[in-house]
Each structure stands twice: as structure tokens, then as C-alpha cells.
């Protein structure tokens, strides 16, 4: 079987974890790596990932030069959450004839928020006969694809509610940082207001995806500002120590309104003191469906898997901007 030649675009916390698993997959061949972080440029990815040996692939910052030099089938883009900064990176890959699978949250379902940019990406991808997909654990699976799949045996659906309750103390540092772990409450609020921390990104896109799948035309999508979860104890995480009264993490809520009624509600609770993590979906319809994953799913490993398992589906997908609603269902398929 022909290996898929992959470029790793972004070797931060998530990109590095994806990279370490991509290097082990027999169906993939890593042919290049790009990052702008000064401490990584010029180093073998084996060194960047703290592996026992070098891989022969060196991190570079000039993506154009890389694409002129190497032949690649697909770029794994793991750099930013927002579509505007990701657009330039996506265009470079697409214009070089390279498919894209990205963890960029806003790419997962960009049509409502960014109709023009979505159309530009779609046209460019069709022009170069490649596919662009945004995916991950959330958005990309737990709060959109999974509830969508659960509606399949329903005759009708009235409301969808999804809750992700996640222990965050063992997630990657960049994640714990963006949910404000350890910050004094006033600092948390100020940093959210100043966009110095983003909180969770993607509830809006998940709501769009669910609504599109159910054929619901929403009047509006409301995203409430993230609320800090005040720690009721001293907690130690892999990132920091959380003091009593400081932020242990956050809660984010978003909902979609149809004909004046909240029909989709997403609740995302992620902090260092969660002791009963779970992912649950509640569908009111015919029949009602209640589903709960005890323990929840580890977001970082889940994202690695979603990205890698989507690659064969993206390679076989139609050209253009695609979402998880368009590609065939990914599964944990080999060759590993
Ligand atoms: N959909 C999902 O479920 C899901 C799951 C996990 C992560 N994500 C998202 O995926 C993204 C990556 O996550 P992360 O934790 O790895 O973030 P991170 O630690 O900040 O890493 C991003 C890396 O990309 C580099 N970078 C930024 N702009 C670049 C560019 N133009 N060219 C090349 N490299 C560039 C950064 O360099 P500098 O540090 O120098 O800026 C950094 O090394 C985040 O936006 C995250 O929210 C989504």
C-alpha cells in the first residue's frame, strides 16, 4: 500500500503529539516539518520530540521552500484556532497541491461565521484538486459528530444537549493555560476580556454542524463569556499549582435558537478539580436518546486519533473544503 507523505505544519504541544504518533504509523511517511518557534528551527524532529534517535526530518520555517523541495500528499496543520490566521497557511498548502487536515477549530465548520473565506478555501482547493478538513476531538467529534450520529435512529428531533465535563489537570500545558488554570479570578476575567486567553474555541462551530446536519435554520447562536471555576482547594496539575480561590478552569455555554426556542445547548466544563469526568448527549425526540461516556475521552489523544484516522478519508474525499459531515466516517483504521 502506498504511504501517505505528510508534512507536519506546527509542532507545538498538539502538533508534537500528533507527530510522535504519525512517525509510528506504517501508512504514513513524514517528509517535512514547519514551525516558526525559534527554538525548534534547524533541529531534527527527533530532537524536538525528545525521541531516542533522529528522523532525518529537520524543522524549517520557510514553508514555500519546503513545498518546492519535497513532494507531499497532505499537511497536518496544527498552529492556530482562528480561521483568519490559518487561511494563509491553508492557502500555501493548497496552492502546492497538498491536502490539509487541521486542528484549527474554526475550520471545522466555517460557513456561517466566514462565508467569504470558506468560499475562497473551497474554490482554491477545487482548483488544485485537494481536500481541506478541520477536525479534532472537540470540535470535530464529541460535541458535534457524535451527537449527530446519535440522532440517526430518531424519527424526529426537538432538542439536543451535549455536556463535556473534563478533568483538565493532565492536558497539554497550552490547553491548561488557555482555560486560565491557576489564575486569580480577576486576572482570569481580564485576560478573557483582552483575548490573552481564549477559553475553549469551537462551540459555535459544533452548533453550526449539528444544525446543518438536522436541517435546522437557526435564528441565532449565542456564546456566553467563559466563567471561571473557582477552586475550592489547592490543586496540583501537570501545568501549575492552583491556589484555593483561584481559577481551576472554566465553564463555557453556547446555544442555538430556532423559532425562539433553545434547541441546541452545549455545556463545556473543564477544570483541575473534576472528579467524575464524562461526555454526555441528550436528545429529545422520537425516541429520546441518552448517552454517557463515563470517564470522558482524553482530548489530546483523541485529537491525535481524529486527525490520523481522518487522513485516509481525506485522501479519498472530493476536492474542496469539506467538514466531518462530508467525509466518510473515520475509524481507528490501520495500517498503524
Ligand atoms: N479541534 C480540536 O479538538 C483541537 C484539539 C487540540 C488542539 N486544537 C487547536 O490546535 C492548535 C494547536 O494546538 P497546540 O496546543 O499545539 O498550540 P501551540 O502549543 O500554541 O502550538 C502551535 C505551534 O504552531 C506554531 N505556529 C504558529 N503559527 C505558525 C505559522 N504561521 N507557521 C508555522 N508554525 C506556526 C507555534 O509557534 P509559536 O509558539 O512560536 O507561535 C507553535 O509552535 C490550537 O489552536 C488548538 O486550540 C484543536
Amino acid at each position: 500500500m502506498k504511504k501517505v507523505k505528510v508534512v507536519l505544519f506546527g509542532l507545538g504541544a498538539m502538533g508534537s503529539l500528533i507527530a510522535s504518533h504519525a512517525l509510528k504509523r506504517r501508512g504514513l511517511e513524514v517528509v517535512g516539518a514547519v514551525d516558526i518557534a525559534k527554538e525548534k528551527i534547524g533541529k531534527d524532529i527527533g530532537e524536538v520530540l525528545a525521541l531516542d534517535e533522529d528522523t532525518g526530518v529537520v524543522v524549517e520555517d520557510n514553508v514555500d521552500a519546503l513545498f518546492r523541495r519535497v513532494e507531499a500528499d497532505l499537511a497536518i496543520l496544527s498552529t492556530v484556532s482562528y480561521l483568519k490566521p490559518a487561511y494563509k497557511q491553508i492557502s500555501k498548502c493548497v496552492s502546492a497541491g497538498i491536502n490539509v487536515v487541521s486542528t484549527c477549530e474554526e475550520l471545522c465548520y466555517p460557513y456561517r461565521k466566514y462565508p467569504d473565506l470558506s468560499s475562497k478555501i473551497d474554490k482554491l482547493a477545487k482548483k488544485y484538486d485537494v481536500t481541506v478538513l478541520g477536525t479534532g476531538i472537540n470540535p470535530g467529534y464529541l460535541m458535534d459528530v457524535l451527537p449527530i450520529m446519535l440522532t440517526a435512529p430518531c424519527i424526529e428531533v426537538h432538542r439536543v444537549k451535549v455536556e463535556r465535563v473534563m478533568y483538565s489537570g493532565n492536558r497539554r500545558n497550552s490547553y491548561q493555560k488557555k482555560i486560565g488554570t491557576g489564575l486569580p479570578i480577576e486576572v482570569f476575567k481580564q485576560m478573557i476580556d483582552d483575548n490573552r486567553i481564549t477559553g475553549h474555541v469551537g462551540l459555535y462551530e459544533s452548533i453550526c454542524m449539528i444544525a446543518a446536519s438536522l436541517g435546522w435554520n437557526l435564528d441565532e447562536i449565542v456564546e456566553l463569556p467563559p466563567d471561571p471555576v473557582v477552586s475550592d482547594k489547592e490543586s496540583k496539575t501537570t501545568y501549575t499549582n492552583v491556589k484555593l480561590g483561584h481559577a481551576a478552569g472554566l465553564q463555557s455555554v453556547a446555544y442555538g435558537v430556532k423559532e425562539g426556542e433553545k434547541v441546541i445547548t452545549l455545556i463545556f466544563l473543564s477544570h483541575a478539580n473534576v472528579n467524575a469526568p464524562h461526555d454526555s448527549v441528550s436528545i429529545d425526540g422520537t425516541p429520546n436518546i441518552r448517552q454517557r461516556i463515563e470517564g470522558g475521552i482524553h482530548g489530546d489523544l483523541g485529537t491525535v486519533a481524529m486527525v490520523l484516522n481522518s487522513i485516509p478519508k481525506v485522501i479519498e474525499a472530493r476536492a474542496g473544503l469539506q467538514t466531518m459531515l462530508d467525509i466518510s466516517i473515520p475509524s481507528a483504521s490501520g495500517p498503524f
Side-chain angles (χ1 to χ4, degrees):
M1 196 192 207
K2 198 170 158 269
K3 289 191 177 203
V4 178
K5 293 183 177 171
V6 166
V7 165
L8 306 165
F9 198 150
L11 283 167
M14 203 60 243
S16 294
L17 196 58
I18 294 170
S20 62
H21 287 267
L23 285 164
K24 288 187 238 161
R25 285 235 166 173
R26 284 189 289 122
L28 303 180
E29 180 186 353
V30 176
V31 295
V34 185
D35 201 290
I36 50 168
K38 293 225 169 357
E39 68 281 6
K40 292 172 196 156
I41 298 164
K43 286 188 182 155
D44 189 283
I45 50 175
E47 188 182 346
V48 173
L49 304 177
L51 304 178
D52 292 338
E53 51 189 29
D54 280 356
T55 62
V57 175
V58 171
V59 181
E60 46 198 297
D61 59 349
N62 189 332
V63 66
D64 299 311
L66 172 69
F67 288 159
R68 277 197 297 273
R69 209 181 62 248
V70 303
E71 215 176 274
D73 301 306
L74 183 138
I76 297 175
L77 180 67
S78 193
T79 50
V80 288
S81 299
Y82 297 106
L83 193 61
K84 281 186 183 160
Y87 173 68
K88 202 171 157 198
Q89 302 156 21
I90 295 166
S91 321
K92 280 184 188 284
C93 300
V94 169
S95 305
I98 295 171
N99 297 287
V100 177
V101 175
S102 176
T103 58
C104 171
E105 286 92 337
E106 287 194 335
L107 182 64
C108 286
Y109 203 91
Y111 306 105
R112 185 173 171 128
K113 210 186 260 178
Y114 301 105
D116 294 344
L117 221 42
S118 303
S119 162
K120 274 167 97 169
I121 295 171
D122 187 51
K123 281 190 185 138
L124 197 66
K126 283 178 175 146
K127 179 175 169 193
Y128 288 94
D129 196 23
V130 295
T131 305
V132 176
L133 174 78
T135 193
I137 196 69
N138 178 33
Y141 182 72
L142 280 175
M143 299 185 87
D144 37 55
V145 173
L146 183 62
I148 288 166
M149 280 298 294
L150 287 169
T151 67
C154 294
I155 303 293
E156 56 181 0
V157 171
H158 307 301
R159 274 173 301 278
V160 177
K161 183 177 172 191
V162 188
E163 260 184 299
R164 178 147 169 76
V165 178
M166 193 211 316
Y167 171 67
S168 60
N170 60 357
R171 294 288 307 270
R172 65 192 192 281
N173 286 353
S174 55
Y175 175 81
Q176 294 190 51
K177 188 175 173 195
K178 81 174 176 184
I179 62 161
T181 312
L183 295 176
I185 301 303
E186 284 316 309
V187 177
F188 176 103
K189 289 181 180 162
Q190 194 57 55
M191 286 179 80
I192 287 283
D193 285 351
D194 301 346
N195 291 323
R196 279 183 288 154
I197 55 171
T198 61
H200 175 70
V201 182
L203 294 183
Y204 186 97
E205 287 69 26
S206 292
I207 289 177
C208 288
M209 216 189 295
I210 295 170
S213 173
L214 296 176
W216 288 352
N217 196 4
L218 298 179
D219 313 334
E220 59 170 342
I221 296 175
V222 178
E223 273 190 284
L224 302 176
D227 257 339
V229 173
V230 181
S231 189
D232 56 5
K233 58 180 180 183
E234 304 265 325
S235 297
K236 193 170 165 48
T237 81
T238 52
Y239 166 61
T240 190
N241 292 328
V242 182
K243 291 190 177 135
L244 174 75
H246 285 193
L250 55 72
Q251 169 163 280
S252 286
V253 176
Y255 54 88
V257 179
K258 180 167 77 80
E259 292 155 18
E261 197 197 335
K262 281 185 198 176
V263 286
I264 303 172
T265 304
L266 305 187
I267 299 170
F268 177 87
L269 178 66
S270 179
H271 63 87
N273 299 334
V274 167
N275 47 28
H278 61 271
D279 288 290
S280 68
V281 179
S282 172
I283 296 161
D284 290 347
T286 311
N288 292 327
I289 292 186
R290 307 283 181 259
Q291 176 262 3
R292 185 174 163 109
I293 301 173
E294 290 300 343
I297 292 182
H298 193 283
D300 298 340
L301 293 175
T303 298
V304 171
M306 286 302 298
V307 166
L308 298 183
N309 292 335
S310 295
I311 289 176
K313 309 299 174 188
V314 164
I315 295 291
E316 71 187 19
R318 276 183 294 119
L321 171 61
Q322 307 289 352
T323 73
M324 292 300 290
L325 298 183
D326 307 307
I327 65 165
S328 58
I329 301 170
S331 59
S333 59
F336 300 112

